[in-house]
Amino acid sequence: MKDNPSAESSRRAQWRPSCSLDMLRLRAIALTAVRDFFRDRGYLEVETPLLSHDIVVDAHLEPFSLQISEASEERLYLQTSPEAAMKRLLAAGSGSIYQITRSFRAGEIGARHNPEFTMIEWYGVGDTFQDQMKFVEELIGAVVDRCVQISNLCTGAAQLRKPYHSLPYDQCFERALGMTVQDLPDEELQRLVMDRTGYEVPADSTQQFGFQRDDLLNLLLAECVEPTMGRQQPEFMTHYPISQAALAVACDDVPGTACRFELYVNSLELCNGYQELSDADELQRRDTTQNIIRTQNGRSTLPGASLMLDAMRHGLPPCSGVALGFDRLLMAMTDSHDIREVTAFTL
């Protein structure tokens, strides 16, 4: 059988970058704008290890791990975010800091995900989460303003320049579903999931299948709520259930919620922000809960971030932190629908 010439040609072309060279130039311009923005506001740029014995415990994020050597069963983790090490710097007195780094999350691949991606993470000492929502708006505005002057690829800039809006988590669900969910009994929540998503949820799902209330809420979020977010203008979702914000402080003004926000533009989530928890004992309790959920969902337990805990016991200053997906910001700015359009190479 003769080789297929078109298939052979396609294979040979796979060495090429997935995005255009003009897009790579735009990335460089945007990164310069990011650094200028943080420098002008007195933030220190830092670098922290991508590999560590420590890993922040999250029930829904799966890290890559590797064995140190054939002679040792000891494992290192590629960081899902630089949070643990950056908080050690904060406790050491660094002041407000930021980092542009690579982060790694296993199993996340698709039009909006790549297992390896570029993240901008920062911590504003003395800031509330509301302060950081304004900071995010100013940062994105500065990047957009710089890029539109130089590149004609910024076809999504107009949407990012609109006034930013915020809406609490429960009200986002009410707008999309016609009802609030945070106080909804479990049985009614299960029926709502089946009615709105078509996903069959057994009555005894928690005991037999590892489902948690937050799993059901996240399913509704992904299927019904996120498609409505940020359609008219950039939109922050705020006041998440405390169970969905392991490293955030509780909100005093809205019981049962956390000082957490996410930003959406045209249903695309761009960033996640917390007013940071500083109580190490509370973090240990939450880590235990997260590992229990991981076990119930068939995942391995994680060791946690012991050095971060030690730093928090030494004293983490009051601060708010944000993790922003740089690739996704470029997607929103250029109205791209696949992460391959804004990155040189993907998995």
Side-chain angles (χ1 to χ4, degrees), residues 15 18 54 75 81-82 97 121 129 133 135 137 143 153 191 197 230 234 237 256 267 321 333 335:
W15 64 267
S18 58
D54 281 6
R75 303 197 73 79
S81 89
I97 55 177
E121 184 151 332
F129 79 110
M133 287 164 64
F135 192 93
E137 183 176 355
V143 174
L153 295 177
R191 285 196 295 269
T197 71
M237 183 184 294
S267 78
M333 189 163 56
D335 199 24

Side-chain angles (χ1 to χ4, degrees), residues 135-150:
F135 192 93
V136 167
E137 183 176 355
E138 292 172 353
L139 168 62
I140 292 176
V143 174
V144 170
D145 287 347
R146 178 78 64 86
C147 290
V148 296
Q149 296 175 17
I150 301 170

Side-chain angles (χ1 to χ4, degrees), residues 42-103:
Y43 279 64
L44 174 68
E45 183 172 9
V46 299
E47 294 178 288
T48 57
L50 299 178
L51 276 174
S52 175
H53 294 93
D54 281 6
I55 187 72
V56 172
V57 181
D58 190 305
H60 303 290
L61 295 182
E62 192 63 32
F64 291 99
S65 68
L66 63 152
Q67 203 167 320
I68 290 179
S69 68
E70 291 183 2
S72 171
E73 294 185 359
E74 195 173 2
R75 303 197 73 79
L76 294 174
Y77 295 89
L78 283 169
Q79 298 300 289
T80 55
S81 89
E83 178 172 9
M86 292 183 78
K87 284 184 174 176
R88 291 165 62 187
L89 294 176
L90 290 165
S94 65
S96 298
I97 55 177
Y98 81 100
Q99 181 169 186
I100 302 170
T101 188
R102 306 295 276 185
S103 293

Side-chain angles (χ1 to χ4, degrees), residues 297-314:
N297 288 335
R299 291 178 167 175
S300 62
T301 59
L302 295 175
S306 60
L307 294 176
M308 181 179 73
L309 280 168
D310 290 343
M312 289 171 67
R313 290 193 174 96
H314 173 77

